[in-house]
Each structure stands twice: as structure tokens, then as C-alpha cells.
Amino acid sequence: MGNTEVRVRGLAARAGGWSARHRWAAVGIWVLFVVLAMGLGSAAGRTDVDESDQLKGETHTAAKILDDAGIKEPATETVLIQSEDGAVRATSGEFRAAVADVVEAVGGTGKVTGVTSPYDTHTISRDGRSALVQFDLRGDAKTAADRIEPVLDAVAGVQHDHGGLRIEEIGGASMQKQYQDAFGDDFRQAEYSAVPVALGILLIAFGALVAALLPVALAITAIMATMGLMGVVSHLQPMSDTANSVMLLVGMAVGVDYCLFYLRREREERAAGRDPGTALRIAAATSGRAVVVSGVTVCVAMAGMLFTGLAEFEAMGLASLMVVAVAMVGSVTVLPALLSLLGERVEKGRLPFLGRRRPRRGPQADSRFWTAVLRGVLAKPLVSVLVAAGALLAIAAPALGMKTQQLTLDQEFGDSLPMVQTYDHLNTAFPGGSEPAQVVVKAADVDAPEVRRALAAFRAEAVASGASRGPVGIKLYDAQNVAVVSVPLVGGSDMDRATRSLQKLRDEVRPATLGRVEGVQAPVTGQVAGNHDFNDQLMGSVLPVFAFVVVFAFLLMLLSFRSLTVAITSIVLNLLSVAAAYGILVAVFQHGWGASLVGAEGVGAIVTWLPLFLFVILFGLSMDYHVFVVSRIREARLRGRTTKEAIRHGVVTTAGVVTSAAVIMVAVFAIFGTLSMQSMKQMGVGLAAAVLIDATVIRGVLLPAVMALLGERNWYLPKWLHRLPDLTHDEAVPEPAARPVREEGERLPV
């Protein structure tokens, strides 16, 4: 019964058929691939993104001048000595003694050089109650955080001896050290917890340990292989820790989802009466094909990041693309081999409370909830479209007022780190002093009188123009004919004011001074300049990335379903899903609606890189569900059902797997929403909210309602498009024979 030969065709079907026939070979090849990828990656090592290559424009030019000259700017640290109550002035004996102790303590560590006293450099605040001791760390600035601890301990010792004063250290190395200590374990814990969370949900979905372990095992091996490949590829396209975290997120999500789609279809066919071989062939031709279409679409979306020109985005895009491709290949090759090897043993390790199943009446296990929803949606499709689309547009409305910016330290971390308070104390006393702009001056002869006069004029005009309150420092590298001018910007931690000061420096002060000397280059760099250049470059890449992703996704859907209507509705529904996610982000993190629920009070902005990142990730991942559901609807239509019957069949029979997949994605993304860093919290909340909306409102209400309204026009393809390549590669799979109802308690694959 149910053993009728089913002829299937297509790339996924052929791959699955070969793997099922050559089971051990397929498993062996996959294991060998993972081991080789990891070995090659370990041998090659990973080349990380260099911040100097991260941006184009003035920031990049300044870094190139220093690099070409062989000048390696050291990591600079600052110790703030400050009267807490304002009673002690910098001229007092107590204050001078504290300064002397700081100079002696940090110098005595042997880890620093160029220690300067505020009485020599005149780094004393206008109110006379704060002063700065500054010094450089020995060695490579990139690894300075590994050597900073003895210096921090020395400063803490001086603070202990001078309880009446505030003595705090801040700088790139000390901030990096604090960040690693506070959030390194936080990140690792979030990444590691994604696996048990996914496994727990799969256990509930399948009710059997072996079946639940398969998707997790596939996702983990795909991630391991991709980590190795990232090491090899990094010598052509540098990678980063951020790219690694994003790769893990995406890899766990799609790896589990692809396996889930395949496995559930194979079990469903067996439950409907197919023999194991036939069930596997049908799963390969249907869900396997959906996985390939979805995987290619996600890869195309991820490739959109390569058009930003930003090294960090390019690294994230390439890493995500690779893990999706690896997971997709694994799903249609090694998974059929494992299912063929395991056979009925895939049901091993059943959970006691999930072992008893309700009887099923028919070949599919209909979801009673979604059956009820679909009944209402298909009865009144126009009303359903108006209500669901109206609700999503209302949710998306706040996105029209989206404000993006690089988050300041207090916005990013709140009050959770001591360095935030130190940063605020320093910026209050010395606006811009913690993150000064740097003007890298390159001349044929930096000692030439006209260059010297221009530097002096620049120094004076920077303060006179109101861009800086000083002190403006100049460091000369005579042998390389380079000078580095340090300019604290008015505005400090207020990014809008600091950016205006930067623009005044670039557009007014520089042309009037250094710009008058022929042959002089003077790019302005620094933290504020880097943020400004990053924003400009990112905004310039938005349209090309959006156009690339949308156009290629449209073409893939058109070729995969041979329907102009399906391709258009896919794009429109995905854009609506992304817009709703933007609206939720703005409402929570910018306007503060419900911000206390996720620990996001007082942020007031969306981190600059997130909207584009979310668009690319969500546009790719939402295709998972869309391709899977529409493939099932199309399959039912090819069997001869009417469009409305096919919609009901496709949505209801995929409801369980889409729900399970969505819950896993939401849970994994929500883990990152629990991190203390606001940028990671925004990313986690945005991704989780979008996937939840996509799997429920979009796929459960809008998609069936729109398709019901369109009727036979869903399958419309103009004659002039018939010459396009046919990537459907499927044919109608006959309905399985009727099957007797199982008794209560009888085991049945889910």
C-alpha cells in the first residue's frame, strides 16, 4: 500500500537519490569535507579586517599616509585627575602630589613611554579642577589591550592613596580590555546557548531524540566547515569576529530550517503510507527543491552586502553566504544518506510525554488552529488583506521617522561599565578630549617655513573658529615629512555637535590654512571622522544593495515558479515584512515604547549599520518560508486541485514545520536580544520580530488571502517570458492511497 513508483526529477531529487543509494559514500564525503575545511582554515590562519582599510575617503587616505611612511601610531592612554567636589584645584599641593604619583606609577610599570604631566602640556581644564596625564603604550597598538592590566592596576593604586580625588584611566586599550572582560563571556554564552535552545524546540517538534539531533548536527557541521573556509577566504577578503557571530546566527537558523523542511516531509510521506524509498524520493524532489531555491535566494541576498564597499559588511556578507551554501548542500546530500541509513531508527529516543499521538484521518496532519484561520481568510480574502496589510503598515509607520547614528558609549552600554562614567567625566571637563580628530599632514618638506606657518595657523584657527577649545597638539615626524595634529572637537560625546565641529575643521579651517600650501595633503581622521565617513559610505551603498537584492530575488522566484505573479507578490510581501520590523525597532529603541521590557531605555536612535543589515538578512531568510509554502501550494495545484484548495492544502500542511522553524529562529535571535550592548540588542529584537511576523501574519494570512484573490492569475506568465529557462524541475506527485486510522497511542511519525 502506498508503494506506487513515483517518478521525480530535478537537481535536488538526483542529489538525494544518489546519496540514498551511496549512503556511506555520501556521509564519508561530507565528513571529509568538514575535516578538510577545518584543517585548511587552521593551517591558513585568519586575516582580520584592518580598520585602516575599512573605509574609503579621508579616513582611508590618512591611514595610507601613515602606513606608507612606516609610522605606527601607538595606543594612547589618558589618566583623569579630578576634584570630585570642586574644592581641590589643580594648583594645590594635594593635586600636584596625585599627579606626580600617577606619573611615577605608570612610568614604573615599564609598559609605557612618553608620560607627560599636565603642568607641561597645559592639559588643565578651564575651571582648574581637572587635569590629564597622557602616555603611550609600548608595542603594537592592536594588541595593547593584552598588556594594559599592570598600568590599570598602578592607576588604581594611586586612586586608593588619594581618596579625595577622582583618578581614572581611559583610552583605546583600557576600553577594549573592559569590553572584553564584560562582554566576551556574554557573547560566547549567547552563541553556545543557541544550540541547546534549538535542540529543545526540535525535541518538542519531533518527540524523538535522534530526529531532533539531525538538524542540529547538520547546522553545527556546516558552521564548523564554514569557520575553516573563512580562514582560507580571509586571505582574499579579510574576516572579523562580528562576521563570525553573524555567520553562526545565520548558519544555525538556516541549517536547522533546511533539515527540518526535508525531514518533516519525509516523515509525512511515510505516515501517509509511502514506503521509505519512495518517501525519501518525494522529500528530495519537493522539500529538497524548496531548500535549493531558498538557499540560492538567501545567498543572493547576502551577496548584496558585497556592494557596500565596507570591509566589515563584505566580511559578514561573504561569511553568511558561505554558511548558507554549505548548509544547503548538506541538506540535499548528506541528510538523505543519513535518513536512508537510519530508516525507522530515526524514531529512537522518543520522549515519554510526546510519544502518544492523536489519531490522524488522512494523509496529512492538518493543524486545527491554521485550518480555522484559513477558513476565515479564504472565506473573506479581501477583508483579510485589508486588515493584515493595514496592521503591518501601521506597525511600519514609525519607520518613516527613523533616526540612525553611531551609538555613543553611554547609548551603547548605559551605566553597565565604569568606562562610561569615566568617558562622561572626561568629556565634561575636556570636550572632545577622549576622541580628538587627527589631521595627518604630508608635505614634500614638513620643516619648510611655509608648512610650519600653515601648521601654526591651523592650530590657532581651529580654536578661533569654535571647532575646538584646545589644546591642539602637533607631533612631527621629520624623517618621513609627516605631521600629526590632534584636535579635540567641541561637542565631545554629542555626536551631532562633534560632527558639525568636524565639518567646520574640514570645510573652513583646513582650506584657509593648510590648503594654501601647494603639495600638502591633510586628511582629517579620528573617531568622529570615521563615523561620519562610515555613514556617508553606507548611505551611498543603500540603493545599489536594495536594487541588487530585490532584482535578483525577483528573477530567481520568476525562474523557479514560472509565474510573474508569484515573483511580484513574493517581493511585495517580503518588503512589507522588513518594513514592519523597521517600525518595531524605531518604536522600541528610538521612541522608547516598551523599551523597559528589553532593557533599552534612553537609546533614542537606531545604530547606523542595522537597517541595511536587517534588510539583507531578513529578505534572505524570509524566503525560506515563502518558497516552502508556495512550493507546496504549486505542488497541490499540479495534482489537479483548484487554486483555493491548493492554498488551503499548502498552508495547513506546512503550518507545523513553518511554526517549528520560526520558533527556532525567533529563539536563536532573541538570545542576542538579551545582550547588554544596544547594537546587539537591536539586531536580536529586529530579527526575532521580523521572523515572527513573517511566519504568522505574512505566511498565514496575507499570502493565502492575496493568492485567493488572484485565483488562476497566480500562475500567470506572459508568452514573451516562456523562453526563460525552466527551473521548476518538478511534476505532480500523485496523492497517496487512503490509509486506515491509527488507534490512540499508536506511534506515528510527525
Side-chain angles (χ1 to χ4, degrees):
M1 178 171 52
N3 295 338
T4 304
E5 181 67 23
V6 177
R7 187 165 62 90
V8 292
R9 59 193 178 96
L11 177 65
R14 288 197 297 271
W18 185 91
S19 297
R21 292 191 303 273
H22 306 85
R23 300 176 295 188
W24 287 110
V27 174
I29 290 171
W30 178 256
V31 172
L32 182 63
F33 163 69
V34 174
V35 172
L36 281 177
M38 293 177 64
L40 287 172
S42 178
R46 197 181 82 183
T47 301
D48 283 347
V49 170
D50 189 336
E51 289 188 11
S52 65
D53 295 329
Q54 169 80 342
L55 299 171
K56 295 182 175 67
E58 292 194 32
T59 306
H60 177 74
T61 304
K64 191 173 188 310
I65 290 173
L66 293 174
D67 191 52
D68 290 346
I71 298 170
K72 293 190 178 295
E73 285 284 280
T76 299
E77 289 286 306
T78 297
V79 177
L80 172 69
I81 300 100
Q82 189 174 62
S83 172
E84 292 195 53
D85 56 9
V88 182
R89 301 186 69 83
T91 53
S92 69
E94 179 184 350
F95 202 104
R96 286 180 177 274
V99 169
D101 286 351
V102 169
V103 171
E104 181 182 358
V106 297
T109 62
K111 303 288 184 182
V112 308
T113 183
V115 185
T116 60
S117 167
Y119 303 111
D120 298 329
T121 57
H122 307 293
T123 48
I124 298 174
S125 63
R126 288 188 173 187
D127 63 8
R129 294 181 174 86
S130 305
L132 303 179
V133 172
Q134 295 172 308
F135 53 88
D136 298 331
L137 286 172
R138 298 181 187 275
D140 189 350
K142 294 179 181 178
T143 59
D146 300 332
R147 304 185 303 277
I148 192 66
E149 191 162 3
V151 184
L152 292 171
D153 292 341
V155 172
V158 179
Q159 171 68 89
H160 182 268
D161 295 337
H162 296 271
L165 297 171
R166 178 184 289 128
I167 301 173
E168 301 170 327
E169 181 179 344
I170 192 168
S174 54
M175 290 169 69
Q176 181 67 18
K177 175 72 166 60
Q178 237 182 91
Y179 167 80
Q180 288 173 349
D181 291 346
F183 297 110
D185 292 339
D186 202 8
F187 269 110
R188 282 189 291 274
Q189 185 62 39
E191 291 174 351
Y192 294 153
S193 58
V195 173
V197 166
L199 180 59
I201 295 168
L202 287 167
L203 278 172
I204 296 172
F206 286 119
L209 182 61
V210 174
L213 282 172
L214 277 181
V216 174
L218 177 73
I220 291 175
T221 52
I223 289 168
M224 290 167 63
T226 306
M227 283 182 177
L229 295 177
M230 283 173 67
V232 177
V233 173
S234 70
H235 294 278
L236 298 174
Q237 166 61 59
M239 292 294 167
S240 68
D241 288 337
T242 304
N244 197 65
S245 292
V246 171
M247 181 277 293
L248 188 144
L249 258 180
V250 174
M252 182 58 65
V254 299
V256 168
D257 278 9
Y258 291 165
C259 190
L260 189 60
F261 293 162
Y262 207 108
L263 185 55
R264 285 290 287 263
R265 183 58 187 266
E266 189 268 348
R267 297 178 98 203
E268 179 184 311
E269 293 299 329
R270 285 197 292 114
R274 308 283 192 191
D275 65 88
T278 302
L280 199 53
R281 286 195 296 275
I282 293 174
T286 53
S287 290
R289 175 185 173 276
V291 165
V292 171
V293 173
S294 173
V296 172
T297 309
V298 176
C299 286
V300 167
M302 300 304 176
M305 291 196 209
L306 302 178
F307 289 84
T308 62
L310 295 165
E312 192 72 73
F313 266 69
E314 290 172 346
M316 288 191 291
L318 193 54
S320 301
L321 186 156
M322 287 192 298
V323 78
V324 171
V326 171
M328 176 184 69
V329 170
S331 297
V332 297
T333 56
V334 72
L335 183 58
L338 289 171
L339 289 175
S340 180
L341 277 170
L342 289 170
E344 290 291 335
R345 286 172 294 185
V346 77
E347 304 294 334
K348 291 288 186 182
R350 294 198 66 83
L351 300 184
F353 298 105
L354 298 175
R356 294 172 65 82
R357 300 287 176 188
R358 291 186 300 273
R360 299 187 179 193
R361 304 180 185 279
Q364 284 86 20
D366 291 355
S367 163
R368 285 186 293 180
F369 172 77
W370 285 111
T371 298
V373 171
L374 258 293
R375 189 179 299 116
V377 168
L378 296 180
K380 296 183 177 179
L382 181 60
V383 174
S384 300
V385 168
L386 293 176
V387 172
L392 290 181
L393 288 172
I395 293 172
L400 295 174
M402 181 186 290
K403 174 187 175 184
T404 61
Q405 68 176 54
Q406 291 291 87
L407 300 183
T408 58
L409 206 63
D410 57 331
Q411 287 176 315
E412 184 72 273
F413 297 107
D415 296 327
S416 60
L417 292 182
M419 68 179 176
V420 176
Q421 286 83 35
T422 305
Y423 180 86
D424 289 340
H425 297 153
L426 179 58
N427 264 300
T428 301
F430 301 91
S434 60
E435 295 175 348
Q438 287 188 317
V439 187
V440 179
V441 182
K442 172 69 175 174
D445 181 5
V446 80
D447 281 323
E450 63 271 21
V451 177
R452 291 279 190 169
R453 285 194 297 270
L455 284 169
F458 180 89
R459 177 187 232 164
E461 187 61 26
V463 176
S465 68
S468 174
R469 293 185 187 141
V472 178
I474 300 178
K475 187 184 292 185
L476 292 173
Y477 297 90
D478 295 327
Q480 294 90 350
N481 286 313
V482 172
V484 179
V485 185
S486 179
V487 188
L489 295 173
V490 168
S493 58
D494 183 337
M495 281 297 161
D496 291 336
R497 288 187 64 201
T499 300
R500 288 195 293 270
S501 297
L502 169 74
Q503 290 171 325
K504 187 176 291 186
L505 208 63
R506 283 178 168 178
D507 301 338
E508 298 175 20
V509 178
R510 179 177 56 185
T513 55
L514 295 166
R516 295 181 182 274
V517 183
E518 188 176 352
V520 168
Q521 287 181 276
V524 182
T525 185
Q527 184 70 37
V528 176
N531 289 344
H532 179 71
D533 292 348
F534 177 87
N535 292 348
D536 284 350
Q537 192 170 334
L538 188 64
M539 291 303 104
S541 67
V542 167
L543 284 179
V545 172
F546 270 56
F548 173 83
V549 172
V550 170
V551 168
F552 272 83
F554 171 82
L555 290 175
L556 280 170
M557 296 300 288
L558 181 65
L559 296 176
S560 299
F561 289 100
R562 302 282 292 176
S563 166
L564 183 63
T565 310
V566 167
I568 292 173
T569 55
S570 300
I571 299 301
V572 172
L573 292 179
N574 279 354
L575 289 176
L576 188 57
S577 176
V578 172
Y582 283 173
I584 290 173
L585 274 178
V586 172
V588 174
F589 294 96
Q590 187 173 315
H591 299 315
W593 303 340
S596 59
L597 299 176
V598 293
E601 301 94 334
V603 180
I606 307 302
V607 65
T608 306
W609 55 265
L610 189 60
L612 186 61
F613 172 81
L614 276 184
F615 170 78
V616 172
I617 295 287
L618 293 175
F619 209 90
L621 294 183
S622 61
M623 282 296 183
D624 270 2
Y625 308 133
H626 194 88
V627 169
F628 189 65
V629 176
V630 175
S631 293
R632 199 62 180 269
I633 293 172
R634 186 176 185 277
E635 179 190 326
R637 183 71 184 86
L638 289 173
R639 284 176 171 176
R641 298 190 185 212
T642 65
T643 295
K644 186 169 284 192
E645 289 173 345
I647 293 168
R648 180 182 290 106
H649 171 84
V651 173
V652 171
T653 55
T654 58
V657 67
V658 168
T659 301
S660 299
V663 169
I664 290 169
M665 272 200 190
V666 170
V668 170
F669 292 148
I671 291 170
F672 281 77
T674 64
L675 298 182
S676 302
M677 288 179 65
Q678 289 299 320
S679 55
M680 292 296 103
K681 192 182 292 291
Q682 289 183 11
M683 182 185 77
V685 170
L687 287 170
V691 169
L692 189 60
I693 289 171
D694 195 77
T696 53
V697 181
I698 298 289
R699 308 304 159 208
V701 178
L702 265 180
L703 175 63
V706 168
M707 292 189 78
L709 283 174
L710 291 170
E712 291 305 308
R713 286 167 293 187
N714 281 297
W715 321 114
Y716 170 69
L717 185 71
K719 289 183 179 179
W720 59 274
L721 289 177
H722 285 186
R723 286 173 290 182
L724 289 173
D726 186 354
L727 301 184
T728 53
H729 291 311
D730 57 11
E731 53 190 47
V733 176
E735 298 278 7
R739 178 161 211 198
V741 176
R742 291 182 182 259
E743 296 301 324
E744 180 72 30
E746 185 179 358
R747 193 179 71 182
L748 182 66
V750 178

